[in-house]
Amino acid sequence: MSKKKASYPSFGKVFAGVMAILVINCGLKYLGGINVSNSAEKAVNDYAQAHGYSRSDYPDELVELLESNSETTDFVLNYPKKVTEGTAEKIDLTQYTNCQQPPLLRQWDSRWGYMSYNGSVLGLKGSAPVCLSMTAIYKLQDVSMSPVYIADMSVQNGWESKPEKLLTEGARNIGLKVAQIPVSEGKLNRSIESGSTVICLTDGKLLSTAVVIYAMDENGGYKINDPMSREKSEKIYNYSEINKHIRKMWEYTANDAKQ
């Protein structure tokens, strides 16, 4: 008795089936909102067309910023117009006179976010100078220590790509006492409890690449100013959430020890 030959689908049928599956998957991702970049791209393209710009006027980093943080919508969409104006807006931070904690300043604030910095703009690359500004305004009780003032100092000294230099030598230049502290829960707690303000450099995954830790709540959670996000700054963080993301930490006090 002769054996029946096994029957296999043709290459064409297999290929068509695979392509159908891929198309369906892509469609489901799109419909389910997984393709988030499409919404940011669309927002930028629509705004550009309506205002006489093109997509090429927007660096990819800006579109990625908008994807990850809807708070930056105005900053991103207005980029082509505002970036040519630099820091034309008046900077008045007198509302923070006699502040009782570091003010939350966002690096993409239109008053300084379009300023050239580190091969880009302060809104994208300025987390360190903005964190030092927040700390200086509070610790020195000096509202002239704006992000523009700190960024200018950084540029003049060649520290744009050297945040550690800015956060140490730069801090001392403006009258702050600064000391590097080990990345440990105990040392961080002691610094905060003694009244110091702490600036951390991070890996940028959970929080911005530089953040200010300024207080603890009754449960030992940390209050953090993230210069990229009001939403993140309103949260309380446990040490177990942030420790693996912290690269280095420094504590700051005023030279006259008033703060």
Side-chain angles (χ1 to χ4, degrees):
M1 184 187 293
S2 61
K3 290 185 178 178
K4 243 186 187 179
K5 286 187 178 179
S7 171
Y8 298 101
S10 67
F11 173 78
K13 288 181 179 179
V14 171
F15 180 77
V18 170
M19 290 304 294
I21 291 171
L22 289 174
V23 169
I24 291 171
N25 282 340
C26 289
L28 288 174
K29 287 182 179 179
Y30 178 83
L31 292 173
I34 295 175
N35 191 3
V36 180
S37 63
N38 186 67
S39 62
E41 286 285 355
K42 185 177 187 306
V44 169
N45 281 320
D46 289 350
Y47 187 90
Q49 290 177 14
H51 294 82
Y53 304 121
S54 69
R55 169 63 177 82
S56 62
D57 292 320
Y58 295 86
D60 289 341
E61 281 182 295
L62 279 174
V63 181
E64 292 168 7
L65 175 62
L66 181 55
E67 286 176 26
S68 62
N69 187 354
S70 62
E71 295 175 40
T72 65
T73 298
D74 288 343
F75 173 77
V76 172
L77 296 182
N78 289 312
Y79 176 84
K81 176 178 182 292
K82 292 287 190 176
V83 75
T84 60
E85 298 175 359
T87 57
E89 291 188 44
K90 182 181 179 181
I91 299 175
D92 181 2
L93 300 177
T94 54
Q95 69 189 93
Y96 302 120
T97 301
N98 299 320
C99 56
Q100 300 303 302
Q101 64 185 48
L104 174 59
L105 304 178
R106 266 66 58 81
Q107 61 193 77
W108 40 264
D109 188 304
S110 63
R111 291 172 291 179
W112 48 73
Y114 301 104
M115 174 183 176
S116 295
Y117 192 78
N118 195 18
S120 181
V121 290
L122 204 68
L124 287 169
K125 300 291 186 179
S127 61
V130 174
C131 283
L132 186 54
S133 171
M134 289 189 271
T135 300
I137 289 172
Y138 170 52
K139 286 298 178 184
L140 302 176
Q141 289 295 299
D142 185 347
V143 294
S144 72
M145 296 289 170
S146 70
V148 171
Y149 181 93
I150 301 297
D152 278 340
M153 175 182 68
S154 181
V155 171
Q156 290 165 12
N157 287 278
W159 296 330
E160 290 175 87
S161 60
K162 301 172 182 176
E164 294 181 26
K165 289 281 189 181
L166 173 63
L167 295 175
T168 52
E169 294 179 32
R172 295 186 184 103
N173 281 356
I174 59 176
L176 288 167
K177 290 174 66 176
V178 54
Q180 185 171 356
I181 60 175
V183 179
S184 79
E185 183 175 12
K187 184 55 183 173
L188 175 58
N189 290 352
R190 286 192 290 276
S191 293
I192 297 298
E193 288 166 354
S194 69
S196 296
T197 296
V198 174
I199 296 180
C200 303
L201 288 181
T202 83
D203 59 12
K205 294 178 180 178
L206 176 68
L207 299 163
S208 184
T209 51
V211 296
V212 177
I213 303 179
Y214 62 92
M216 297 170 65
D217 71 2
E218 63 276 9
N219 299 313
Y222 302 106
K223 298 180 180 180
I224 296 178
N225 276 358
D226 184 322
M228 263 298 183
S229 174
R230 174 176 293 280
E231 181 181 358
K232 290 184 178 180
S233 300
E234 291 173 346
K235 296 180 180 178
I236 300 296
Y237 297 85
N238 295 321
Y239 188 77
S240 59
E241 292 178 275
I242 64 175
N243 74 311
K244 64 182 179 182
H245 299 288
I246 298 174
R247 290 172 43 218
K248 291 188 176 180
M249 299 194 299
W250 294 269
E251 61 178 8
Y252 299 82
T253 55
N255 272 324
D256 59 8
K258 288 181 180 178
Q259 289 286 342

